[in-house]
Amino acid sequence: MPKVAVLPGDGIGQEIVPQAIRVLRGVLAGASLQLEFKEYPVGGAAIDAVGRALPEETLTACREADAVFLGAVGGPKWDTLPAPERPETAALLGLRKALGLYANIRPVRMLPALVDASTLKREVVQNTDLVVLRELTGGLYFGEKGRKDNPPAAYDLMLYTEGEVERIVRLGFETARLRRKKLCSVDKANVLETSRFWREVTLRVAADYPEVELTHMYVDNAAMQLVRYPEQFDVLVTENMFGDILTDLASMLSGSIGMMASASLNGKKGLYEPAHGSAPDIAGKNLANPLATILSGALMLRYSFAREKEALAIEEAVGKVLDAGYRTGDLAQAGDKVLGTKEMGDAVLAALGG
Ligand code: IPM
Ligand code: MG
């Protein structure tokens, strides 16, 4: 039986992950694929339990599992730790690097029921349907970093190898080929050497995909275009840091960051998690929106287990629940039926059946 290493982590991670697992079990009831879910400590919770954000036992389990399902890590309690020990760095970046998860996929689709939940105007966001592919194991996040004296200074090196650029860009073309055949490569080639290199590699790879329309856009312009006219985008591909910033921005095009699912892949293995954080301010209160995590479960079925039918069933169930007017607090407007985290899980499970 394929194994899923389940890492709920910190804050709302402890509440949203169990709801997603219930939905996954629900959609797979009676299916030929059965998954074994096993929990492991990670993040601040693991620091408290065993003194390290990514314990050896957890890492080994993730290496051996067919997929990893993560909630969120971090919180004020661990913010004062030295950078390499913090949950975000040690656990999240540690897992991405150790498992070689170079491709981060963040789909952004406006569901009809949520058009008015966005802070942006209906006519701007209503037809949003795009995917951001973020390079996840290179660039500023993983380049050499350090401090200097006289005068006091700090640096983070941005470095990309040809192979690193090529594999993520290729995935961009492959993704676009299966969609509306438009790929926008986002860079800062007017200033950065890494971006000029990125562009060269992208143009070379483009020769293998004549059916895909390739455009290039500077990252500052891309940020503006995403809120001006998001419909113009199909697939965006970009480096690690630009992708981090643009995906938070793009999440508002679907109503809330509480809707944004995320898959981090290395070809064989995948880690699935909501794109949002551990929200310590609402943790433990049954207030968190579990939908991004539930939708990450759908991505896991799609990318790690090739179960498109069941993935769609989850996505449709989420759509139905929202169409029926059910919302968690982050999405609620006057007149909506506000549900807690667990009750939202119940509602999606019920919608799966009917
Ligand atoms: C994300 C997060 C992480 C990142 C943080 C928590 C390290 O913001 O997954 O987008 O910057 O990659
Ligand atoms: Mg981020």
Side-chain angles (χ1 to χ4, degrees):
M1 196 186 294
K3 287 191 206 135
V4 179
V6 178
L7 279 45
D10 304 320
I12 60 170
Q14 296 286 342
E15 298 164 77
I16 54 185
V17 165
Q19 298 313 317
I21 303 295
R22 287 175 70 208
V23 171
L24 283 164
R25 286 192 199 281
V27 80
L28 293 176
S32 55
L33 173 73
Q34 290 300 308
L35 299 174
E36 181 192 306
F37 298 100
K38 203 160 166 211
E39 268 193 37
Y40 299 90
V42 77
I47 295 179
D48 291 353
V50 297
R52 288 181 57 191
L54 184 57
E56 206 48 54
E57 182 215 3
T58 300
L59 182 57
T60 307
C62 292
R63 284 192 206 280
E64 287 170 1
D66 298 275
V68 181
F69 199 74
L70 188 133
V73 298
K77 186 172 173 195
W78 308 283
D79 279 351
T80 48
L81 289 172
E85 292 167 33
R86 286 179 57 148
E88 293 88 336
T89 341
L92 210 47
L93 301 194
L95 273 172
R96 288 172 184 173
K97 199 64 175 180
L99 303 178
L101 307 171
Y102 66 86
N104 181 228
I105 303 180
R106 295 184 173 178
V108 184
R109 194 155 62 91
M110 178 48 94
L111 299 174
L114 292 184
V115 173
D116 294 314
S118 175
T119 51
L120 298 163
K121 286 188 191 139
R122 161 178 280 270
E123 56 270 30
V124 174
V125 293
Q126 61 189 356
N127 294 320
T128 302
D129 181 4
L130 58 88
V131 179
V132 183
L133 279 187
R134 166 185 173 193
E135 199 293 323
L136 203 59
T137 50
L140 285 174
Y141 274 57
F142 292 98
E144 186 193 324
K145 38 190 97 252
R147 296 286 177 115
K148 290 186 171 173
D149 299 324
N150 295 326
Y155 61 93
D156 296 278
L157 180 70
M158 166 104 104
L159 183 139
Y160 269 106
T161 66
E162 186 179 27
E164 284 173 332
V165 179
E166 174 160 352
R167 63 187 179 181
I168 187 76
V169 165
R170 203 167 273 290
L171 189 63
F173 280 105
E174 294 287 344
T175 309
R177 202 157 67 127
L178 300 173
R179 294 178 40 104
R180 300 196 304 278
K181 301 187 171 50
K182 281 167 48 172
L183 179 67
C184 178
S185 170
V186 176
D187 63 35
K188 187 72 186 173
N190 49 349
V191 178
L192 302 177
E193 197 55 34
T194 38
S195 285
R196 286 188 278 272
F197 181 69
W198 180 284
R199 241 181 226 219
E200 281 166 31
V201 176
T202 303
L203 283 168
R204 185 167 55 66
V205 176
D208 296 340
Y209 300 90
E211 71 278 33
V212 176
E213 179 202 330
L214 170 69
T215 53
H216 306 274
M217 198 179 273
Y218 297 143
V219 62
D220 47 349
N221 185 27
M224 186 271 275
Q225 295 294 341
L226 275 167
V227 290
R228 189 186 77 91
Y229 182 42
E231 250 182 272
Q232 69 185 287
F233 296 109
D234 178 17
V235 180
L236 296 105
V237 63
T238 193
E239 69 90 36
N240 203 344
M241 179 89 197
F242 296 161
D244 179 45
I245 299 168
L246 290 182
T247 51
D248 259 42
L249 183 147
S251 73
M252 282 314 292
L253 303 172
S254 63
S256 161
I257 193 157
M259 294 301 298
M260 191 180 240
S262 165
S264 305
L265 310 175
N266 81 350
K268 303 180 289 294
K269 174 104 66 188
L271 178 148
Y272 302 86
E273 58 174 333
H276 59 71
S278 62
D281 52 326
I282 57 164
K285 299 182 182 160
N286 197 38
L287 288 175
N289 179 354
L291 294 180
T293 317
I294 289 172
L295 291 169
S296 300
L299 294 184
M300 177 169 84
L301 294 181
R302 175 170 294 133
Y303 295 121
S304 280
F305 301 109
R307 287 282 169 157
E308 183 60 26
K309 184 167 132 269
E310 286 83 357
L312 275 175
I314 293 179
E315 289 165 352
E316 279 164 16
V318 168
K320 274 191 214 162
V321 168
L322 294 167
D323 284 342
Y326 295 109
R327 304 280 188 276
T328 41
D330 57 319
L331 296 170
Q333 293 176 298
D336 288 336
K337 295 164 241 178
V338 180
L339 299 182
T341 311
K342 169 157 187 311
E343 293 69 31
M344 186 52 101
D346 294 341
V348 176
L349 257 181
L352 273 179

